[in-house]
Each structure stands twice: as structure tokens, then as C-alpha cells.
Amino acid sequence: MSAGTFTTATAREGLAQLWLRGLGSRQETARHRLFVFPHAGAGASAYRLAPHVPDTVEVVTVQLPGRENRFAEDPLTSVDAVVDELAPLIASRTELPFGFFGHSMGALVAFAVARRLRTMGAPLPARMFLSALRAPDLPDREPLHHLPDAELLDRLGRGEFAGLDPELQELLLPLMRADLTLCETYAYEHEAPLPCPFTVLGGSDDDTVREPELAAWHDHTSADFELRLFPGEHLYVRGAEPQLAETIMRTVPAWG
């Protein structure tokens, strides 16, 4: 290997580690890989699935710019911009059978990445777990990204920012606005349904997405489809990692 090739490979590996937290964490034991796509405003540390799955499953969580160890970077504001960066990195890490889990914004990004993988001719997820988001062809009922700061803070303070210190809310507001922009400006384009089976999840008391909107994901897969509701509201995932892991392992028994 030439020095230039080595340098390029090293840079590519560093980029993958930046975007894909947990990559290589179970290098000796992993036989499967679960890519996790967080919700708006969240970073990789918001999800603690790894302790609840066998050592044969490596959990790799997407870390987008603008949060946690990437806080100094400008957040991306379009699905295409995220997918352009993320899809090639994931495509180069599909040597193991893998699945996707995405919550809210993460479900949209996971869906878009899977479509891009198909376009690239790369392997596709063995199963997709899509949580707390209406089907991607359905319009937003109440877009928020254009609201003035004070009004947006008020709305988020009754939801995602509930219980946070006011100064922290103001610090996180630009990231949250960027993530809302990413979701709310997504322009769905018709393609053939994905051949990956879908498990669609939601909170039984989530007033931001109704059960029929979750069920509408059925139109976007040509394979098996399952819908399951968990107790709780939109962020039911907080504290539900054991139940989520159990659902994933039950649904993909080969991973057990």
C-alpha cells in the first residue's frame, strides 16, 4: 500500500468513526450490526441499546454534526445533505448482516439512506425499525421550523425541551431548528417500495403521529410489515431500551 493510499484509508476510517459511534466496539464477537438513527436534537448518547442485545450484535449510532462531540460543526438542514455523507459510510460497513432503527427524524433519515443504498447497488437492511414518524409521503400537520425563536422555544418547552434549563434551551435551539428544517422540508419522491421488511413502532399516547399515519408505512415496503405500539408519548423510547431491544431480537431471531 502506497503512502497516499494509506493516508486516504486512514482519513476514511476517521470519518466513519466520527459519524458512526460504536463502530468496531464488538469487533471480535459481532455477527450482525444495528445502525441507530436518533431523533431531532439528539446525539448518539441518547440511545443505550447496546447493553440489552447480545455481544453478537454491534450497535452503531449515527452522530450527526452539531451535537455532543460534533457540537462545533454546523448542523445539516436537508435530508439529501445527510444522506450524501452517510450512505457511502454505511455502504462500506455492510460486511455483516445489518438492520436500521430510527426514531422520529431518525426514521426519515434511515428510510432515505436505505433508498440511497438501493440506488448504489449496496446491500440493504435485513429489517427496518421505524419509530414515531408518519409515512414519508404524508405532509406535516403543523410545521415549526419557520417560527420565531420565542414561539419555537415555547412550543419545544412543552415537548422535547421540557424540564431543561432555559439557558440550555437557548443553546440547543439552533440545532433543533436545523433538525426541524431537515424534516419539514423533505420532498418525498415516488420510488418502488423497498424490499426490506418493516417494523413500525410508536407511542400509544403520541399526539404528534396517529396510528393510521404509522400504518401508512406499509405502502413503502414490498416485504413483511408489522406495527407495534409501546406505552407512552412521542419520546416513549426514553427508558424503553430493554423493551426495544427485546422487540428487535424477537423480530429478527437469527440475531439471537
Side-chain angles (χ1 to χ4, degrees):
M1 180 184 295
S2 68
T5 302
F6 177 79
T7 301
T8 300
T10 301
R12 190 180 301 117
E13 180 62 25
L15 193 62
Q17 293 290 339
L18 187 65
W19 282 79
L20 303 174
R21 298 287 298 275
L23 188 65
S25 58
R26 294 181 174 175
Q27 187 171 353
E28 300 300 322
T29 59
R31 298 295 178 267
H32 309 275
R33 187 169 283 140
L34 178 67
F35 291 96
V36 176
F37 300 77
H39 57 275
S45 67
Y47 293 81
R48 305 284 184 180
L49 286 170
H52 305 290
V53 298
D55 288 344
T56 52
V57 179
E58 181 176 83
V59 178
V60 177
T61 306
V62 170
Q63 185 77 302
L64 296 178
R67 61 214 77 210
E68 297 182 354
N69 64 313
R70 305 188 69 181
F71 185 78
E73 300 177 54
D74 291 334
L76 301 175
T77 57
S78 76
V79 171
D80 283 345
V82 172
V83 173
D84 287 346
E85 299 283 349
L86 195 52
L89 296 175
I90 290 179
S92 68
R93 297 301 189 279
T94 57
E95 76 283 359
L96 298 176
F98 65 97
F100 284 174
F101 170 80
H103 182 76
S104 196
M105 179 186 79
L108 179 61
V109 174
F111 174 72
V113 168
R115 281 182 148 197
R116 181 68 62 85
L117 292 178
R118 177 172 62 181
T119 300
M120 297 168 63
L124 295 177
R127 194 168 193 101
M128 296 182 62
F129 297 87
L130 303 167
S131 173
L133 186 76
R134 71 200 180 285
D137 55 322
L138 301 181
D140 274 299
R141 281 190 263 130
E142 193 176 7
L144 302 175
H145 73 275
H146 62 284
L147 294 178
D149 284 356
E151 191 173 348
L152 183 56
L153 277 170
D154 179 65
R155 296 292 296 274
L156 294 172
R158 291 179 267 136
E160 287 84 346
F161 284 1
L164 294 184
D165 180 89
E167 291 185 2
L168 181 57
Q169 291 187 29
E170 291 194 12
L171 184 65
L172 294 175
L173 183 63
L175 170 61
M176 197 66 188
R177 185 184 296 280
D179 284 355
L180 289 171
T181 301
L182 182 152
C183 294
E184 295 172 359
T185 61
Y186 172 72
Y188 174 80
E189 295 183 4
H190 178 76
E191 293 183 15
L194 288 165
C196 320
F198 285 8
T199 295
V200 173
L201 311 168
S204 58
D205 299 317
D206 186 355
D207 60 4
T208 69
V209 56
R210 303 184 181 102
E211 187 172 346
E213 294 172 313
L214 295 172
W217 278 102
H218 196 299
D219 294 337
H220 300 278
T221 175
S222 60
D224 180 52
F225 179 86
E226 176 188 18
L227 173 61
R228 176 172 178 180
L229 297 181
F230 284 79
E233 299 179 349
H234 186 66
L235 293 177
Y236 74 89
V237 290
R238 291 176 174 169
E241 287 93 345
Q243 293 79 16
L244 284 171
E246 187 277 330
T247 295
I248 292 167
M249 300 309 299
R250 173 185 59 77
T251 308
V252 192
W255 289 16

